[in-house]
């Protein structure tokens, strides 16, 4: 009678190779599934976002339809190179009409004034919203009675449509409005240069600060309470806890909140368009780049507006890129360190 010989156990090398092959096959399967799930989104984004951007860039190199002085007929535009871009970037008071407009301080289609206004509104509003939003988030993060009611009430300004907010502040900043009545002043907020700008800043800060507070609150809730208890046991004061614990651990959430809000503020249109019409003090006191684009389209200068849209897109893209490179460099520091350690091992 013969006895069956048990199979020899696999060698460690064979087990390792089989495991690697299984992991590689699993990785390829997950990759294919990921691409299949992302494909519909990529197609929709290409149609909704990619196609308009490409078409806008193509149109920016075309001349707008114009009246031919020789024939008296309108002629369609053709390839004009960088003429549309030069029209905006090299804009100056060189023509007689432009000189007269500049002398009156009413050069309504000034690219550089609109760029200044856009960045001015962005820097001031984002700074105010970050500071006030952080303060609001710290309060809402505490345990107290009716905390849920407070959180819901704080989000009300953000839930109101921007057009409604603009109309609301249009009544508040009217000559006989609430602000002048409470302060006992007679300021024409829609006609004064800096008053109109500050009206935009106040309205936008009131509108969007809850959005910043909500994002920052989400970051605060990820900080373990044990960290603060250990700091209190070591004798750390409230100020020390804020600067040594809260701010460092809150940095990823702050970076995301400030980045999102900055990109949104650089595209500001509806609030100044409704509240001041882009004017105030002078014809372009509160004109932003987005308002300037819409004005060009309304003047049937579609290809010129396409060039300005492309410039605005490049500005927003450049700000986002620099923002992530400067402020978001350490967000993946832990991952890079882990990879480095794994490579050494």
């Amino acid at each position: 009678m013969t006895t069956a010989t048990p199979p020899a156990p696999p060698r460690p090398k064979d087990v390792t190779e089989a495991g690697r092959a299984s992991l590689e096959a699993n990785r390829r399967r997950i990759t294919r599934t990921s691409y299949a799930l992302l494909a519909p989104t990529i197609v929709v984004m290409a149609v909704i976002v990619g196609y308009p951007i490409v078409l806008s860039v193509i149109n920016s190199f075309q001349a707008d339809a114009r009246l031919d002085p020789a024939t008296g007929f309108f002629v369609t535009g053709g390839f004009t190179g960088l003429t549309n871009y030069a029209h905006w970037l090299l804009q100056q008071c060189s023509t007689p009409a432009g000189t007269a407009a500049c002398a009156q301080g009413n050069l309504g289609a000034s690219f550089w004034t609109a760029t200044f206004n856009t960045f001015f509104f962005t820097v001031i509003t984002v700074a105010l919203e970050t500071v006030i939003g952080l303060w609001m988030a710290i309060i809402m993060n505490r345990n107290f009675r009716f905390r849920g009611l407070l959180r819901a009430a704080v989000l009300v300004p953000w839930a109101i449509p921007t057009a409604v907010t603009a109309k609301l502040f249009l009544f508040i900043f009217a000559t006989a409005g609430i602000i002048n009545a409470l302060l006992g002043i007679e300021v024409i907020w829609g006609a004064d240069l800096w008053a109109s700008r500050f009206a935009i800043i106040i309205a936008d800060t009131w509108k969007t600060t809850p959005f910043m507070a909500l994002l920052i609150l989400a970051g605060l809730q990820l900080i373990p309470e044990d960290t603060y208890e250990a700091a209190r046991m070591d004798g750390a004061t409230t100020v020390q806890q804020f600067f040594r614990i809260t701010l460092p651990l809150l940095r990823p959430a702050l970076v995301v909140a400030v980045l999102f809000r900055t990109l949104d503020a650089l595209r500001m249109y509806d609030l100044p368009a409704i509240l001041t019409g882009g004017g105030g003090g002078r014809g372009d006191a509160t004109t932003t780049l987005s308002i300037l684009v819409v004005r060009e389209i309304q003047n049937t200068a579609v290809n010129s507006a396409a060039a300005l849209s492309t410039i605005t897109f490049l500005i927003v893209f450049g700000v986002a890129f620099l923002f992530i490179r400067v402020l978001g460099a350490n967000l993946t520091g832990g991952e890079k360190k882990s990879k480095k350690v794994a490579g050494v091992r």
Side-chain angles (χ1 to χ4, degrees), residues 5-339:
T5 304
R11 294 175 299 175
K13 182 179 180 180
D14 297 335
V15 173
T16 303
E17 292 178 353
R20 288 178 179 175
S22 176
L23 290 175
E24 184 65 23
N26 189 40
R27 186 186 65 81
R28 288 196 296 267
R29 181 179 60 82
I30 294 176
T31 301
R32 289 194 298 267
T33 305
S34 301
Y35 284 142
L37 293 175
L38 288 175
T41 303
I42 294 175
V43 172
V44 172
M45 293 295 292
V47 173
I48 296 178
V49 179
Y51 174 74
I53 292 178
V54 173
L55 184 62
S56 177
V57 173
I58 294 174
N59 289 338
S60 67
F61 296 103
Q62 305 294 321
D64 289 305
R66 64 193 183 279
L67 181 65
D68 189 356
T71 61
F73 293 100
F74 277 96
V75 294
T76 58
F79 180 76
T80 187
L82 299 176
T83 302
N84 291 328
Y85 293 94
H87 165 71
W88 295 111
L89 298 177
L90 304 179
Q91 200 172 60
Q92 56 186 349
C93 303
S94 56
T95 63
T99 303
C102 287
Q104 298 173 3
N106 192 30
L107 187 59
S110 173
F111 167 78
W112 294 109
T113 302
T115 303
F116 168 79
N117 292 337
T118 301
F119 278 93
F120 177 76
F121 291 145
T122 299
V123 172
I124 301 299
T125 56
V126 172
L128 291 175
E129 291 162 7
T130 302
V131 174
I132 301 175
L134 177 60
W135 172 68
M136 293 169 60
I138 291 176
I139 294 177
M140 291 188 294
N141 192 45
R142 297 177 179 175
N143 293 321
F144 57 90
R145 196 176 182 182
F146 303 118
R147 182 179 64 174
L149 181 62
L150 176 62
R151 290 180 178 179
V154 164
L155 293 178
V156 169
W158 184 45
I160 297 176
T162 306
V164 178
T165 300
K167 282 296 184 181
L168 173 65
F169 278 90
L170 187 63
F171 292 118
I172 292 176
F173 289 111
T175 305
I178 300 174
I179 294 294
N180 286 347
L182 290 177
L183 301 180
I185 57 179
E186 296 181 358
V187 176
I188 304 177
W189 293 86
D192 185 77
L193 174 63
W194 288 102
S196 59
R197 289 173 174 172
F198 285 127
I200 300 294
I201 292 173
I202 293 172
D204 191 68
T205 302
W206 180 85
K207 161 72 179 173
T208 324
T209 297
F211 172 76
M212 298 289 290
L214 183 64
L215 294 181
I216 296 173
L217 176 62
L220 285 175
Q221 293 181 337
L222 297 177
I223 302 177
E225 185 63 28
D226 298 342
T227 307
Y228 293 102
E229 294 180 359
R232 285 191 292 267
M233 292 179 62
D234 290 338
T237 62
T238 304
V239 176
Q240 290 175 333
Q241 293 177 32
F242 177 76
F243 286 101
R244 300 291 181 87
I245 298 176
T246 303
L247 282 184
L249 296 180
L250 192 61
R251 182 181 177 183
L254 276 175
V255 169
V256 172
V258 174
L259 175 60
F260 283 0
R261 183 64 197 111
T262 300
L263 299 183
D264 186 46
L266 288 173
R267 299 179 290 107
M268 183 185 298
Y269 169 76
D270 40 6
L271 186 62
I274 298 174
L275 188 56
T276 63
R282 336 184 287 221
D284 56 357
T286 57
T287 298
T288 62
L289 290 173
S290 297
I291 293 178
L292 206 55
V293 171
V294 174
R295 286 180 180 174
E296 284 294 295
I297 295 176
Q298 293 173 345
N299 294 331
T300 66
V302 179
N303 294 330
S304 176
L308 183 57
S309 299
T310 304
I311 296 173
T312 304
F313 169 76
L314 293 176
I315 291 175
V316 174
F317 179 82
V319 170
F321 178 78
L322 292 176
F323 197 98
I324 294 175
R325 292 287 296 178
V326 174
L327 295 181
N330 293 331
L331 293 181
T332 57
E335 182 181 354
K336 292 180 180 179
K337 184 176 180 180
S338 300
K339 291 181 180 179

